[in-house]
Amino acid sequence: MTGVHTTGPEAGVERRRDGEPLLEVEAVGMSFGGVRALKDVSFKVGEGSITGLIGSNGAGKSTLFNCISGIYRPDTGGIRFAGRDILGARVSARSGLGISRTFQNVALFEHLNVLDNVLVGGHARGRVGFLRAGFRLPGSILEERRMRREALEILADLGLESVAYDEVAALPYGTRKQVELARALMGRPRLLMLDEPAAGLPHGEVTSLAGEIRRINEEFGITVILVEHHMGMVMSVCHQVVVLDHGRILAVGTPREVQEDRGVVEAYLGG
Ligand SMILES: Nc1ncnc2c1ncn2[C@@H]1O[C@H](COP(=O)(O)OP(=O)(O)OP(=O)(O)O)[C@@H](O)[C@H]1O
Ligand SMILES: [Mg+2]
């Protein structure tokens, strides 16, 4: 591991490239009818870091992901990415800025093959407009070839080359989760958000997933936010951990600080 571990509330915020945290969540609040899913949630994510987002079922983790990726617009508060206010930006604009994610319930085109699913992730940054693509002008054909080559490289990198032309619906759950990760990487993200990537995976696959996340972070410098209930994985992979409890921030710190926090142990980590 690189020497990224620090202590204090700014843990993980020091490797920024442009003098500011990559992501700033400021006093975000969101309700669904009478349910206050998020209350006054603030934290920062440093560029190049891995942040774990943990908390009991219903704590608001996925809702927060939806606010950051643009699926939900929070009722109150602000979200800044790379120094700009993205609160009003659509999902597509946010992926264009470099925010990619996977979903808690795998969301793929089940009847397309793996390669085509991964290619979908490249759309956010495709430079060829639909007019050119529609007329099949040479630029778009070259672009398409380049994208396919790149998608195949990502698949090979994740050990998925042998299933590139298989229909997604026929694949085991763990492999489909890997395909979602490949699709997210195809967007060449600056921030990769993973919602429970280890859920439902057998133990051996959790270990290799942890290694993959670390490698994605270290080799490509991609900032990661990881929602996980798998504490072994969170504590071994993350530089910073944010704990949510009933929609509120309970603690922010290094894995060690959070594990030693009495409130966190009582509310979430247990005996
Ligand atoms: N679209 C929605 N409509 C109504 N209530 C919602 C909606 N999405 C989330 N909620 C509620 O908001 C709260 C937070 O839910 P959320 O899915 O964000 O939790 P979570 O931390 O991701 O939980 P889990 O670990 O089970 O995935 C819960 O009370 C949930 O029932
Ligand atoms: Mg969730």
Side-chain angles (χ1 to χ4, degrees), residues 105-133:
N105 304 307
V106 177
L108 293 167
F109 294 104
E110 293 285 319
H111 298 294
L112 292 183
N113 71 28
V114 167
L115 179 61
D116 287 336
N117 267 281
V118 174
L119 282 168
V120 170
H123 277 309
R125 59 182 171 86
R127 261 160 286 145
V128 177
F130 82 97
L131 255 183
R132 259 176 97 197

Side-chain angles (χ1 to χ4, degrees), residues 80-162:
R80 296 177 70 76
F81 182 75
R84 57 168 113 176
D85 175 8
I86 58 164
L87 206 59
R90 289 166 187 270
V91 174
S92 55
R94 294 187 207 203
S95 42
L97 288 174
I99 301 178
S100 282
R101 68 173 293 182
T102 62
F103 290 85
Q104 188 166 350
N105 304 307
V106 177
L108 293 167
F109 294 104
E110 293 285 319
H111 298 294
L112 292 183
N113 71 28
V114 167
L115 179 61
D116 287 336
N117 267 281
V118 174
L119 282 168
V120 170
H123 277 309
R125 59 182 171 86
R127 261 160 286 145
V128 177
F130 82 97
L131 255 183
R132 259 176 97 197
F135 287 114
R136 307 295 272 173
L137 294 181
S140 76
I141 293 171
L142 283 180
E143 173 88 357
E144 194 177 308
R145 269 197 212 138
R146 199 180 54 71
M147 292 272 233
R148 287 176 82 84
R149 210 166 42 233
E150 197 177 316
L152 286 167
E153 273 168 23
I154 291 172
L155 287 172
D157 197 55
L158 295 176
L160 294 171
E161 67 269 60
S162 63

